Amino acid sequence: MEIGPIYRALMRNRLGVILIAAQIAFTLTVIVNAVYIINDRGELMARPSGTDEANLFFINNIGYGDTYNEAVVSAEDLDMIRQLPGVTAATIINAIPVSGSGSSTGMATVAGRIEGVVPTAVYTVDEQALSTLGVELVAGRDFTATDVRYRNDSIARGDNEIIITVAMAEALFPGEGMQAVGRTIYDVNQNASVIIGLVARLQAPWPQSSFVENSMLIPEVYIDNSAIYLVRTEPGQRDRLMVEVEERLAASGHSRILRNNRSLEERRAESYRIDSAMSTILVAVIGTLMFITAMGIVGLAVFSINRRRKQIGTRRALGATRPDILRYFLLENLLISTVGVVAGAVLAIAFNLFLVQNFDMSRIDWYYAPAGMVVLLILGQLAVIGPAISATRISPALATRSI
Amino acid sequence: MFLYYIRLSLLSYKRNPVLSSLMVLAIAIGVGAYMVIFTLNYVMGGDPIPHKSSQLYHVQFDYGDPAFTDFEPPPQLTYIDATALLQATVEHPRSASSKFVAVLEPPGEELRPFYVNGRGNAADFFPMFDIPFQYGGGWDRRADDTQQLVVVLSNELNERLFGGANSVGQTIVMDGLNFTVSGVLDRWSPAPKYFDVNNGAFDPMEEAYIPWSLIVGQEMRRSGNTNCWKAFEGNSFQAFLNAECAWIQFWVELNTADEHAEYLNFINNYAAEQKQLGRMPMQIEKRLYDVNEWMILNEVQPDETRILTALAAMLLAVCLLNTVGLLLSKFLGKSSEIGVRLALGAHKRSLFTQHVIEAGVIGALGGILGLGVAALGLEGIRILLGDMMTNDWMQLDLRVTFITILLAIVSTILAGMYPIWRACNINPASHLKTQ
Amino acid sequence: MLKMNQINKVFRTEVVETHALRNFSLHVQEGEFVTITGPSGCGKTTFLNLAGLLETFTSGQYVLDGEDVSRLGDYQRAKVRNEKIGFIFQSFNLMPDLNLFDNVDVPLRYRGMRAAERKLRIEKALDSVGLLSRKNHLPSQLSGGQQQRVAIARALVGEPRFLLADEPTGNLDSNTASGVMELLHEINAAGTTIIMVTHDPSLATQSHRNVHILDGQVQSDNTNHVKAA
């Protein structure tokens, strides 16, 4: 079967070709960009926070009344939690990684200098922070109980010793981040902070932030009657302990309110909810579009075959075999689809450029458009196969009938 | 004749049920998906208070330090500027506002103490934003000045504390302080929370409203964003108040162009004075934003909805292209009927009417099914977003229903224009001889 | 009644010009029953299409019922078709998804008649072809002969001045065909002019007058003295 006659026949029905080709082009545009966005979000969501997320949960403890003494109560609470069977470690912390809320500051390598300040998340924690979070210390030392200071809003933070992430060290001391231990950096209030340790990775509380990998741990407990207990458990013990810890804290008799008893996994899902919702919506859009386009191809193929029944009968009478007829329609569809996917590839790249210019997105990788083209060519062939098979069943006797 | 054509359309539908149903389905999906995004945009990007949005202005100052790289001036105000503006703005309704959290100890023994999210705001806040009351009302400016312990409860909190009864005059205890209830709000949950887009524009509403002066006067526990760009001078609460820390929203109501010009002048002079004092070293383009400008500046509408809008438009385009093709098949498949009708005395205009109505009927069916698609889609998004989105703000109201069906009919007829034109210009002679 | 003078109909494509009718002239008197015969491709279908105002012609004059219809616009032509001409086709051309009543109703709809009058006329027309009792049936439930009777009822319901019939018995067996021919003669006897295109020479002899067309021109025009049975 030659392409020539098919092509010439198609040129006499340009509108039909344009209609299907345009559908395929738009479909390709949407699919390529949607798949790209899905992958992009997927990578975003797949970034590790650096913590042992599966085995972590936290609970917010707020004390009230004149007799409530947070320093005493929190020490008591942490003691109790740490002794529960199944608990690996527990710490008191000001914010939860990837939770969306926390505190940040800027650190400079020279006191008082604003230029080149490195933004960072601030975690104030006690000495069990690293073992609780499950982050890996790659240089220097961990906090000890004697490092931890208690303060309230009438006591200044002052000079201190800190642990930071490798990413932050690299931002502060480009090229020599791993040698940051022992060096001193300064916050906006010109407090000197000596770096005593580096952790491989610990994300900031804000997954969308530009400095998500910059974190700083300060051994400090801030007394304002509001504390978060972060608890790490042995595998499989988390859900049971979430209930038990809350029950025990509630039963301990202090005037307090317990809120937000959540696992880190749950919190992470909430933080990335828009991203995962977006991905799900896009999958639905892709599926719908492919369905609609396939149905359009089927509809028009059935119509065009019905219109050409007699012609097909004549071809059969002239000796065309069933595979010949099948091949004719597959080839015809391939021609139309090719026009569509070529136009679509151009459109897809144009739309991607629009996204790059207007939103915080990067260019698509080169292989997206060709891959999309192949998928749609296959979709077209699959859609036309049903009507084409029915065309092969047209009797050659049709050629001799006048009606 | 209209009903006759409707009947013919339905008969024609029955003749090619598969082809016709494909069209209805394509239109339903295209229009339905578009309406889901329309509703999202309508909610997230629409004017939340159309009758007043150009009278309510938020103030922004030239905060920050040019030495910081990539530092965007924070949208809120410092304590110093907020109090200065409050004092200087006498003639116009205005309000400072910020969030707090407090432990609420309920009256009686049945309820345990719980945490409430509250808002400090000035007396004018309630009339400025047209906030509806179920019982009682707000307070007056004197209560702001004297830091009176009054509170307005949300409908839900009043339900929880007093079973929904009129609680005006009752006392509640927050952070150990005795507040007198001055009013209870009716149900009120605008989305986005356009009066506070800096702390989660789709977060749940606050439950208790107190004079903003109390947040400072009683050192309530503040919540919401705080942005500082300069070291504190000291460690006291006063040091924080004096610091370059933006944490207060400031709204003013300006009803005429003159008022706006006059106030803008005042704000500009104020900024100039502060610059002379060595503050506000940044340079910003604009210091007064109305509600819609403020929402755009603060990027209330997520990128996602804008990307989805473009994708939904393309989905609709594909569905309509599909419809053009299928309608063409359908109408050309009726060539012999059209030929007979022409022979029997139909003229082009009546054929045109007949086919416009036929396309319209298919569009209407698509629209009705599209409502179902839209409802499903919105429900799906509701499930996907979970409790991130509060309340019942996403729903198909009468307006959306009307627009959906209209969009379906109009777009189908437009898609049908070429097929209809072809159908009307069929040469009858060539279709009468054989079938 | 029908006067065609010097009609030419030329079909043009990019490469060829086909003269379907050349200098074609024909006059038909009121009340005549004329058969048109001729071999395939002689132009008889073109004649029928022109006579029925389904197509326009290249040059010449056509006067129908005293009115020059040569240069009418689409709207006027549709009106003439609707009011003065009744069509009967070889393949009946009933609308498959309309029942008999609605099929006969079609021309009246385009005339904008009130519902009560339409009903009266439709039932009278269906009664005259003996199918009133089946008015709610679909065409597919009828035999070929019955379908053609419905088509005749549809052609007559608007009380046209003349009927154009294109091989009305071509798809029918001979028994049924003679029934249909009988019906056409009755209609003619009642005063309606009939022009019938056929290739069946035996039918041609049953009419008042037989016109034979060859190569787009009238080759012979004979008046039959044999009155049909």
Side-chain angles (χ1 to χ4, degrees):
Chain A
M1 183 69 60
E2 273 189 80
I3 289 180
I6 300 180
Y7 171 77
R8 285 191 288 279
L10 279 178
M11 289 317 282
R12 254 167 275 126
N13 178 26
R14 286 198 197 94
L15 185 84
V17 177
I18 291 171
L19 281 176
I20 295 186
Q23 271 187 60
I24 290 175
F26 278 121
T27 306
L28 184 69
T29 306
V30 173
I31 288 179
V32 164
N33 285 283
V35 169
Y36 177 65
I37 294 172
I38 291 169
N39 285 348
D40 197 50
R41 303 280 162 133
E43 278 170 26
L44 203 71
M45 288 189 278
R47 293 175 311 183
S49 65
T51 67
D52 181 21
E53 275 176 42
N55 298 312
L56 285 169
F57 73 92
F58 61 96
I59 186 163
N60 203 343
N61 177 56
I62 298 127
Y64 61 93
D66 298 333
T67 56
Y68 186 84
N69 184 331
E70 188 184 355
V72 173
V73 175
S74 64
E76 223 175 73
D77 289 344
L78 285 169
D79 254 6
M80 178 277 290
I81 294 169
R82 285 164 182 163
Q83 276 166 27
L84 288 176
V87 170
T88 316
T91 189
I92 179 169
I93 194 166
N94 69 328
I96 301 297
V98 203
S99 68
S101 84
S103 167
S104 74
T105 187
M107 300 299 286
T109 51
V110 177
R113 197 166 81 183
I114 293 176
E115 292 82 4
V117 157
V118 174
T120 175
V122 178
Y123 292 107
T124 62
V125 293
D126 72 5
E127 73 280 6
Q128 281 207 12
L130 296 199
S131 51
T132 306
L133 287 162
V135 295
E136 184 196 351
L137 187 73
V138 291
R141 66 168 179 90
D142 195 353
F143 296 131
T144 63
T146 51
D147 292 330
V148 181
R149 293 186 206 164
Y150 288 77
R151 74 174 184 102
N152 58 29
D153 61 9
S154 64
I155 304 169
R157 176 167 280 162
D159 298 345
N160 51 21
E161 295 181 320
I162 58 169
I163 293 175
I164 64 175
T165 58
V166 169
M168 182 177 172
E170 203 42 57
L172 286 163
F173 309 107
E176 33 191 286
M178 289 308 287
Q179 287 90 55
V181 173
R183 301 175 89 152
T184 305
I185 56 178
Y186 303 88
D187 67 12
V188 284
N189 293 321
Q190 303 189 16
N191 296 311
S193 303
V194 178
I195 301 166
I196 61 162
L198 293 179
V199 291
R201 173 165 230 168
L202 175 59
Q203 282 193 332
W206 314 278
Q208 321 294 346
S209 138
S210 57
F211 55 92
V212 65
E213 299 298 339
N214 294 0
S215 294
M216 172 168 95
L217 294 146
I218 305 178
E220 173 185 296
V221 177
Y222 187 74
I223 304 295
D224 66 346
N225 287 5
S226 170
I228 302 171
Y229 301 141
L230 179 67
V231 184
R232 186 180 184 192
T233 69
E234 286 164 10
Q237 302 292 305
R238 186 192 68 196
D239 294 354
R240 176 183 67 79
L241 282 162
M242 283 175 75
V243 178
E244 193 175 344
V245 165
E246 177 159 1
E247 278 173 1
R248 282 178 180 260
L249 288 174
S252 72
H254 296 287
S255 54
R256 64 165 116 213
I257 296 168
L258 298 167
R259 303 175 77 217
N260 287 335
N261 185 1
R262 318 291 282 275
S263 71
L264 240 67
E265 278 178 342
E266 198 185 340
R267 199 66 196 73
R268 165 185 267 272
E270 280 168 31
S271 289
Y272 283 111
R273 187 162 270 163
I274 287 204
D275 300 279
S276 63
M278 182 77 172
S279 298
T280 311
I281 292 169
L282 290 177
V283 168
V285 167
I286 292 174
T288 309
L289 255 181
M290 293 187 43
F291 172 75
I292 294 277
T293 304
M295 287 301 107
I297 293 171
V298 171
L300 289 182
V302 167
F303 170 71
S304 90
I305 287 167
N306 277 341
R307 214 183 35 179
R308 288 184 284 184
R309 289 183 80 80
K310 191 158 176 188
Q311 188 200 116
I312 295 162
T314 310
R315 277 177 191 280
R316 293 279 282 135
L318 293 176
T321 63
R322 288 193 164 159
D324 286 336
I325 300 291
L326 186 67
R327 204 151 53 228
Y328 182 93
F329 286 102
L330 289 180
L331 213 55
E332 185 186 74
N333 173 271
L334 195 65
L335 278 181
I336 300 175
S337 299
T338 305
V339 175
V341 294
V342 169
V346 175
L347 210 59
I349 290 166
F351 188 68
N352 179 247
L353 288 178
F354 162 78
L355 291 181
V356 170
Q357 270 172 16
N358 289 279
F359 306 100
D360 183 25
M361 286 182 59
S362 49
R363 302 268 302 262
I364 46 172
D365 295 312
W366 67 268
Y367 51 83
Y368 275 89
M373 290 166 84
V374 171
V375 168
L376 280 187
L377 287 178
I378 293 172
L379 179 79
Q381 295 284 292
L382 290 179
V384 87
I385 227 167
I389 286 176
S390 79
T392 65
R393 301 216 183 91
I394 289 171
S395 159
L398 216 61
T400 56
R401 253 177 248 154
S402 62
I403 299 166
Chain B
M1 217 54 183
F2 181 72
L3 289 177
Y4 180 61
Y5 286 142
I6 297 265
R7 192 152 65 93
L8 289 182
S9 307
L10 295 175
L11 283 170
S12 166
Y13 188 104
K14 276 202 290 193
R15 173 144 25 121
N16 315 95
V18 178
L19 203 68
S20 308
S21 301
L22 269 180
M23 265 188 280
V24 169
L25 191 66
I27 292 159
I29 289 174
V31 171
Y34 194 78
M35 288 317 291
V36 170
I37 304 304
F38 175 87
T39 308
L40 274 181
N41 275 329
Y42 176 49
V43 168
M44 295 188 167
D47 190 340
I49 179 165
H51 58 290
K52 266 186 115 168
S53 57
S54 54
Q55 278 134 270
L56 296 169
Y57 291 88
H58 196 282
V59 177
Q60 180 168 35
F61 280 126
D62 322 28
Y63 291 152
D65 192 319
F68 287 116
T69 42
D70 295 335
F71 189 89
E72 283 184 26
Q76 304 181 97
L77 298 193
T78 66
Y79 177 75
I80 289 176
D81 297 326
T83 46
L85 292 191
L86 275 178
Q87 274 162 20
T89 314
V90 181
E91 288 165 29
H92 310 298
R94 87 286 187 261
S95 178
S97 139
S98 66
K99 290 173 68 166
F100 70 92
V101 287
V103 172
L104 193 150
E105 293 168 68
E109 297 297 311
E110 292 136 57
L111 290 171
R112 289 185 45 78
F114 57 88
Y115 225 44
V116 287
N117 280 302
R119 177 172 296 279
N121 53 267
D124 300 349
F125 187 80
F126 300 105
M128 279 172 79
F129 293 106
D130 278 354
I131 302 173
F133 278 87
Q134 187 183 17
Y135 302 119
W139 53 83
D140 54 26
R141 282 190 182 182
R142 211 177 39 221
D144 284 333
D145 298 339
T146 58
Q147 300 188 7
Q148 212 173 310
L149 291 170
V150 289
V151 63
V152 167
L153 305 180
S154 76
N155 194 280
E156 293 75 11
L157 185 59
N158 187 55
E159 191 70 39
R160 191 167 171 191
L161 291 175
F162 299 103
N166 185 347
S167 56
V168 173
Q170 300 271 11
T171 300
I172 63 164
V173 181
M174 282 194 295
D175 278 3
L177 300 166
N178 291 314
F179 284 85
T180 305
V181 176
S182 78
V184 175
L185 297 185
D186 227 328
R187 291 200 172 277
W188 182 59
S189 58
K193 279 166 77 179
Y194 59 94
F195 55 89
D196 178 5
V197 295
N198 309 118
N199 293 304
F202 297 93
D203 277 7
M205 299 297 289
E206 286 74 37
E207 300 161 276
Y209 300 78
I210 63 172
W212 177 75
S213 49
L214 285 169
I215 294 201
V216 173
Q218 295 292 342
E219 297 192 25
M220 307 289 289
R221 195 188 308 244
R222 297 179 308 103
S223 72
N225 286 322
T226 302
N227 288 48
C228 305
W229 56 94
K230 213 173 162 189
F232 291 13
E233 289 167 15
N235 294 301
S236 58
F237 185 63
Q238 192 57 44
F240 165 71
L241 294 180
N242 292 338
E244 294 285 26
C245 286
W247 56 280
I248 304 154
Q249 289 139 20
F250 188 87
W251 288 96
V252 58
E253 182 175 333
L254 306 169
N255 291 314
T256 65
D258 286 349
E259 285 181 18
H260 176 265
E262 194 189 318
Y263 199 79
L264 182 62
N265 193 34
F266 158 66
I267 290 286
N268 287 341
N269 287 340
Y270 178 82
E273 272 171 37
Q274 297 299 314
K275 280 176 193 286
Q276 285 198 327
L277 294 172
R279 294 183 66 225
M280 304 190 186
M282 300 280 278
Q283 195 56 47
I284 61 169
E285 290 164 19
K286 196 170 155 81
R287 298 199 176 94
L288 272 182
Y289 289 84
D290 75 13
V291 171
N292 289 318
E293 291 167 341
W294 192 239
M295 293 207 303
I296 291 168
L297 183 77
N298 286 280
E299 294 174 356
V300 168
Q301 191 180 11
D303 278 358
E304 280 80 2
T305 61
R306 292 169 59 206
I307 295 174
L308 285 175
T309 305
L311 293 182
M314 270 192 259
L315 178 66
L316 183 60
V318 169
C319 291
L320 289 179
L321 283 171
N322 209 316
T323 307
V324 176
L326 295 175
L327 272 178
L328 198 59
S329 306
K330 193 173 162 70
F331 288 171
L332 295 185
K334 290 204 309 187
S335 299
S336 69
E337 183 199 317
I338 292 167
V340 177
R341 285 191 178 274
L342 280 167
L344 295 178
H347 46 83
K348 281 183 189 170
R349 213 181 311 165
S350 51
L351 283 175
F352 181 79
T353 314
Q354 181 187 338
H355 289 99
V356 165
I357 290 174
E358 182 161 347
V361 165
I362 287 169
L365 292 173
I368 292 165
L369 195 62
L371 276 180
V373 173
L376 267 176
L378 284 176
E379 189 56 38
I381 288 179
R382 208 194 305 263
I383 291 168
L384 286 176
L385 293 182
D387 49 12
M388 239 184 83
M389 297 295 179
T390 53
N391 314 327
D392 46 356
W393 55 265
M394 275 203 300
Q395 54 185 350
L396 293 171
D397 53 15
L398 225 92
R399 199 183 112 102
V400 174
T401 305
F402 177 75
I403 296 174
T404 309
I405 294 180
L406 194 72
L407 174 69
I409 294 175
V410 169
S411 55
T412 311
I413 290 176
L414 284 180
M417 272 304 142
Y418 179 74
I420 291 168
W421 182 79
R422 284 283 297 270
C424 293
N425 284 291
I426 275 171
N427 176 7
S430 57
H431 291 281
L432 292 171
K433 195 76 182 153
T434 53
Q435 259 177 329
Chain C
M1 172 76 226
L2 177 152
K3 281 186 195 151
M4 285 187 175
N5 292 323
Q6 298 291 318
I7 296 240
N8 281 290
K9 173 72 181 176
V10 185
F11 290 104
R12 283 196 186 87
T13 68
E14 284 161 25
V15 280
V16 282
E17 256 187 20
T18 316
H19 290 260
L21 292 179
R22 51 178 100 216
N23 297 331
F24 182 92
S25 297
L26 181 72
H27 294 213
V28 176
Q29 302 302 314
E30 177 117 39
E32 273 190 302
F33 191 142
V34 183
T35 50
I36 311 277
T37 53
S40 285
C42 69
K44 57 183 194 296
T45 300
T46 304
F47 160 74
L48 200 79
N49 288 338
L50 294 186
L53 294 183
L54 293 174
E55 279 181 7
T56 53
F57 42 86
T58 317
S59 67
Q61 190 197 32
Y62 177 17
V63 177
L64 182 67
D65 200 17
E67 186 187 359
D68 188 344
V69 295
S70 313
R71 295 287 171 262
L72 291 182
D74 173 72
Y75 187 84
Q76 291 301 324
R77 293 157 66 82
K79 218 167 139 66
V80 171
R81 285 198 297 270
N82 184 254
E83 288 172 1
K84 295 191 173 165
I85 307 170
F87 280 96
I88 304 167
F89 308 99
Q90 176 176 9
S91 46
F92 325 135
N93 282 340
L94 294 176
M95 315 229 172
D97 39 29
L98 297 182
N99 64 26
L100 305 194
F101 184 93
D102 286 332
N103 256 292
V104 177
D105 188 27
V106 171
L108 299 186
R109 285 281 179 174
Y110 293 116
R111 203 176 288 193
M113 219 174 251
R114 279 183 302 114
E117 197 185 344
R118 285 203 320 265
K119 184 165 187 290
L120 214 68
R121 288 223 199 182
I122 296 162
E123 290 184 345
K124 192 174 145 225
L126 278 172
D127 196 29
S128 71
V129 298
L131 285 166
L132 180 57
S133 60
R134 309 192 67 173
K135 65 175 178 180
N136 291 324
H137 288 225
L138 288 175
S140 57
Q141 294 168 303
L142 305 183
S143 69
Q146 287 170 323
Q147 288 192 40
Q148 193 60 298
R149 281 166 180 272
V150 175
I152 292 170
R154 184 175 68 182
L156 287 177
V157 71
E159 292 175 354
R161 300 300 307 279
F162 76 106
L163 277 185
L164 283 173
D166 182 12
E167 303 272 15
T169 58
N171 284 6
L172 303 175
D173 64 67
S174 59
N175 255 344
T176 321
S178 63
V180 166
M181 282 310 292
E182 230 169 89
L183 185 58
L184 287 179
H185 281 292
E186 281 169 27
I187 291 163
N188 178 241
T192 308
T193 313
I194 296 180
I195 300 175
M196 183 173 92
V197 168
T198 180
H199 64 265
D200 183 345
S202 70
L203 289 182
T205 59
Q206 294 183 21
S207 61
H208 299 150
R209 181 176 161 196
N210 176 240
V211 175
H212 193 77
I213 304 181
L214 198 67
D215 294 337
Q217 285 179 315
V218 177
Q219 198 221 12
S220 67
D221 189 343
N222 304 314
T223 305
N224 294 327
H225 300 288
V226 192
K227 185 80 180 164

